[in-house]
Amino acid sequence: MPLKTSAPQHSSARKPQRRGSAPSNAPARVRGLLKTLLFGALVCAMVFVLSVLFTPTGERFGDAKDTIRGLYDQPAESVEVMAVGASTMRWGFSPDYLYKEYGIRAYDCCTSAQAPMVGYYLLQEALRVQGSSIRLALIDMGPYVKGKNFFKSTDVERAIINMDPSKIKYELIEDLLKNYPEVRRSEQYVPLLRYHERWNELESADFESLLGNDYDTYAHGQNLSFESNATRGTAGKHTTEKNDAITPEIDTDKDDIEALYDDVSLSYLDKIIELCADNEVQGLFMKTPASMWTDARHDACANLAKRYDVPLLDMSLPEIRDACGVDYDLDYYDSKHANILGSLKITGYLGSYLHDNFDLTDARGSAADEEMEADLQRYEQAVQDAQLARSSTLEAYLDLLSESKGRYTVFATVKGEAADALTPEARAKLEQLGLDGLAALEHGQSYAGVLDGGACVGQKTGTSGKEVTLSGAYRDGQVLLKKTSMQAGAVLDDPLVLVSAARDGQAHTDIMLDGEDLSESAPGINFVVYNRETNTLLDTSAFNTHTGSARSSDLAASA
């Protein structure tokens, strides 16, 4: 029988793949993995953004906002001197003035109630972002003689929440968790978990924080205060008796000194000294003047300086304080925080000390100088703003108004007789400003005038003491005056109203803004000055030019 043949059968089994060949569905797997990674990245980005948004603005930045965020804005390899410490150094040390006088590039990385733990990690962070340019660390000694268990977890969290993501930041978080067990780890790494319930409390400031431009860096970390004990009504309440008891000798009972130390704080001072040695950075222990500083605290600092072989500059010592010329009533906001004018005195002395004892670079005239010029110009304008309230004579006051170069809006009125003691020098300065009506003021005349952006935008003079008025509006740093004057006794319902009357027995003046009289309402020439750029009230003053050119306030008499 013939053999039967059958059609070849096709097997459904897969052919064996060659070694090293990819599975046929590999592209799908790659696409799936990429989708997963992309989704994870989007979730992480969303959590990060929402964490920034939901963290309360005050806590998100607090007073550490300008300082810590500003550190990252400094050009690399540009800072030679780095300060770490608490608020007394943050208010009292001026990197801008140090640069202006000595050419030394510095940054003030101090924050309120800065725990030594924070100081150590911020110095690490500064070395990371600045590189090898840092040659000197100014170490505020206040935090190391606060006694035991002084610092709270929030003093550390205030720094953490402002730092960029980095290995240093996460090490700080772990140290926080180790020292403060009540703190939740998850909330430190994901702040959204802590603040997610704020969704119905969000304000415009919270959204502005997302842009990262709601802080200023021209002061290089320094906090600027324009008030003083004299202006706040606390003059004379912060005596220097405790300062005068301080002597360089260590004569305080050992137990009292030991009570000022905290083991955790000193452990971080050990680390700071070691960090400085590893990076060839010199150290200087220092303390800004403080009227409530004690001899025990000085001696405790002196002990530490001797232990670590680091020089100590305690500016609360009477001889150094006096050499600075510090006046606690005029140069300080309270018992221990200097205002901007006090910081100039402190930094002037410190700069001389650094110049004489450390080999630091004078960067003026270099490429770094160009980077500082814009910041320094703004800083000097801030100093000028502060000096305005300190001027004790009309002539000095007018000089500062002239030097403002259009940054101010000035409202001027007269109450009563103001021409008799108006000196030729003051008249010339008034005319130069553009207030020619006030410059030509005669006996018995009333006056109201406005300077805006360096030009006179309106003024009126009344004869025989008759009342004169100017009215309009002041919005966003711009004055808009009505062309027609008000009738005497009319309802003062405009946003801006200036009134002047010099008539005997009926003399009065008002500088009304949104229903509030801002004038001193004192005899003579009254001024109200606004900063046009920041739209903030800078000063109110009066000079009794019926009898002289002195400022009417007690502050000027004290100055």
Side-chain angles (χ1 to χ4, degrees), residues 289-340:
S291 67
M292 304 306 288
W293 192 245
T294 65
D295 56 353
R297 285 193 171 94
H298 167 79
D299 296 340
C301 292
N303 275 346
L304 294 175
K306 184 177 180 180
R307 177 190 303 181
Y308 294 106
D309 191 24
V310 173
L312 170 66
L313 177 62
D314 187 349
M315 302 178 75
S316 285
L317 292 173
E319 63 271 20
I320 298 180
R321 180 197 68 219
D322 293 344
C324 291
V326 167
D327 184 321
Y328 286 113
D329 286 343
L330 299 176
D331 298 325
Y332 269 58
Y333 174 85
D334 54 20
S335 64
K336 57 186 179 180
H337 296 100
N339 58 32
I340 185 172

Side-chain angles (χ1 to χ4, degrees), residues 52 79 156-157 258 266 290 299 312 456 509 526 528 532 537:
V52 175
V79 176
V156 181
E157 292 174 294
E258 292 298 327
L266 292 185
D299 296 340
L312 170 66
C456 180
T509 189
N526 287 253
V528 170
R532 300 178 74 246
L537 176 64

Side-chain angles (χ1 to χ4, degrees), residues 108-418:
D108 189 342
C109 209
C110 302
T111 56
S112 290
Q114 185 179 102
M117 179 194 306
V118 173
Y120 167 62
Y121 282 104
L122 284 183
L123 184 57
Q124 275 199 74
E125 188 75 343
L127 288 165
R128 180 181 73 85
V129 299
Q130 274 297 307
S132 61
S133 65
I134 298 176
R135 300 171 61 188
L136 175 65
L138 301 181
I139 304 168
D140 175 23
M141 294 306 292
Y144 299 97
V145 290
K146 292 285 190 182
K148 301 185 185 304
N149 303 317
F150 176 83
F151 296 99
K152 303 178 179 65
S153 61
T154 52
D155 297 326
V156 181
E157 292 174 294
R158 185 165 45 244
I160 290 174
I161 211 159
N162 286 286
M163 293 173 67
D164 276 356
S166 70
K167 178 175 179 289
I168 294 171
K169 174 176 180 174
Y170 300 131
E171 289 176 349
L172 173 55
I173 291 176
E174 292 303 315
D175 272 13
L176 168 70
L177 297 171
K178 181 174 65 176
N179 287 278
Y180 300 92
E182 71 277 11
V183 175
R184 296 182 179 179
R185 181 186 303 274
S186 58
E187 293 179 350
Q188 297 303 311
Y189 285 98
V190 186
L192 180 61
L193 298 176
R194 182 176 183 178
Y195 301 113
H196 64 278
E197 295 182 353
R198 286 193 65 244
W199 64 270
N200 61 342
E201 301 175 8
L202 296 178
E203 300 176 347
S204 59
D206 296 297
F207 291 92
E208 290 172 4
S209 69
L210 288 175
L211 302 177
N213 58 0
D214 58 337
Y215 61 92
D216 216 334
T217 63
Y218 76 91
H220 296 88
Q222 183 191 7
N223 180 74
L224 304 182
S225 171
F226 296 87
E227 292 191 80
S228 68
N229 282 312
T231 60
R232 296 176 64 240
T234 53
K237 296 182 179 181
H238 303 288
T239 66
T240 60
E241 293 177 358
K242 292 187 177 182
N243 299 72
D244 295 332
I246 297 176
T247 58
E249 295 78 20
I250 299 176
D251 57 1
T252 305
D253 184 84
K254 179 180 179 181
D255 293 337
D256 293 337
I257 293 177
E258 292 298 327
L260 294 172
Y261 296 143
D262 176 78
D263 291 341
V264 174
S265 295
L266 292 185
S267 71
Y268 283 100
L269 185 56
D270 289 339
K271 293 181 179 182
I272 287 177
I273 298 302
E274 183 179 356
L275 179 65
C276 289
D278 290 344
N279 289 274
E280 298 182 348
V281 175
Q282 293 179 283
L284 173 64
F285 291 169
M286 67 170 294
K287 184 70 187 74
T288 56
S291 67
M292 304 306 288
W293 192 245
T294 65
D295 56 353
R297 285 193 171 94
H298 167 79
D299 296 340
C301 292
N303 275 346
L304 294 175
K306 184 177 180 180
R307 177 190 303 181
Y308 294 106
D309 191 24
V310 173
L312 170 66
L313 177 62
D314 187 349
M315 302 178 75
S316 285
L317 292 173
E319 63 271 20
I320 298 180
R321 180 197 68 219
D322 293 344
C324 291
V326 167
D327 184 321
Y328 286 113
D329 286 343
L330 299 176
D331 298 325
Y332 269 58
Y333 174 85
D334 54 20
S335 64
K336 57 186 179 180
H337 296 100
N339 58 32
I340 185 172
L341 298 182
S343 74
L344 302 185
K345 296 180 178 181
I346 294 169
T347 306
Y349 186 94
L350 173 63
S352 177
Y353 181 90
L354 297 181
H355 180 268
D356 294 342
N357 293 278
F358 296 92
D359 183 20
L360 299 170
T361 305
D362 184 345
R364 290 172 296 187
S366 66
D369 180 63
E370 298 178 4
E371 298 167 355
M372 282 291 295
E373 279 305 312
D375 288 345
L376 191 57
Q377 181 180 359
R378 291 189 60 193
Y379 187 83
E380 289 179 333
Q381 289 174 351
V383 171
Q384 184 184 73
D385 293 348
Q387 289 173 333
L388 193 66
R390 187 72 64 86
S391 300
S392 58
T393 67
L394 176 60
E395 289 79 7
Y397 197 85
L398 296 176
D399 282 339
L400 288 171
L401 294 182
S402 180
E403 293 168 7
S404 70
K405 298 179 180 179
R407 293 191 303 114
Y408 297 160
T409 295
V410 182
F411 305 105
T413 59
V414 161
K415 178 180 180 179
E417 175 52 52

Side-chain angles (χ1 to χ4, degrees), residues 472-475 482 492-497 512-516:
Y474 179 64
R475 292 290 182 270
K482 289 184 175 180
L492 307 182
D493 57 357
D494 284 310
L496 171 65
V497 178
M512 305 286 295
L513 188 60
D514 294 329
E516 180 182 0

